[in-house]
Amino acid sequence: MEVLAVPCVSSADHLREQMQKLRLLCRGTDQGENLMPNVMSADLAPQRRFATPVSTHLDIWRALHDQTGVLFDLIYAPRTFEIILSHCSQFTTSEHVSKLNPKALQYWLPGENVLYYHCGGVEGNESQLRRYKSKGMLV
């Protein structure tokens, strides 16, 4: 099993630094050295300003709900999956990701099981949806 951390807010380098600090805190425990995930690069995905409404993110968010029945948060989940999709062979460029067909998520990693862990909640969805509406991306 591979554990990956996705840099949704800042750079991969910054996330690696955070993981290194966490590793130092875990030093002396049985799990300290093997606890850290690999950090994905966001270089293949389009650059985004954090939490700015983007139609691609809204499409990914809707597709995740349609295909899983799970209500995801509207800030971190779409960016996470946008970065993951940018690493998949059938979505090799940011252009493919930006033109993502919501139904394409069912094909993103054929034969692979993915456990997505997010420790936040969906409380911010209501205000984020208002932001999408004010930008004309929602009716």
Side-chain angles (χ1 to χ4, degrees):
M1 175 174 62
E2 183 177 11
V3 177
L4 299 169
V6 181
C8 298
V9 178
S10 61
S11 70
D13 288 339
H14 183 256
L15 184 53
R16 279 188 202 92
E17 288 173 21
Q18 290 177 320
M19 291 295 145
Q20 182 60 31
K21 288 177 183 177
L22 183 58
R23 177 178 291 172
L24 292 173
L25 289 173
C26 294
R27 190 171 273 159
T29 68
D30 293 339
Q31 302 174 26
E33 285 303 308
N34 299 320
L35 186 66
M36 299 301 111
N38 293 319
V39 176
M40 292 187 84
S41 166
D43 293 346
L44 299 175
Q47 290 187 346
R48 305 279 189 214
R49 188 173 180 165
F50 180 70
T52 299
V54 178
S55 61
T56 303
H57 286 185
L58 189 59
D59 291 342
I60 292 171
W61 181 72
R62 286 175 171 159
L64 285 168
H65 183 265
D66 290 349
Q67 293 177 31
T68 66
V70 175
L71 181 61
F72 288 82
D73 76 282
L74 189 49
I75 294 177
Y76 292 96
R79 180 63 178 161
T80 298
F81 282 92
E82 180 178 48
I83 292 169
I84 292 170
L85 285 168
S86 74
H87 284 268
C88 297
S89 61
Q90 64 269 45
F91 300 105
T92 54
T93 66
S94 58
E95 178 181 283
H96 288 110
V97 174
S98 68
K99 295 177 181 175
L100 174 68
N101 175 333
K103 297 297 180 192
L105 283 176
Q106 62 188 315
Y107 305 108
W108 66 292
L109 283 177
E112 297 287 332
N113 291 317
V114 175
L115 172 65
Y116 171 74
Y117 176 76
H118 177 260
C119 59
V122 296
E123 295 86 6
N125 284 2
E126 188 176 326
S127 61
Q128 189 70 347
L129 286 168
R130 283 194 303 270
R131 293 178 73 204
Y132 275 91
K133 190 172 184 175
S134 74
K135 298 267 185 195
M137 294 181 213
L138 278 175
V139 185

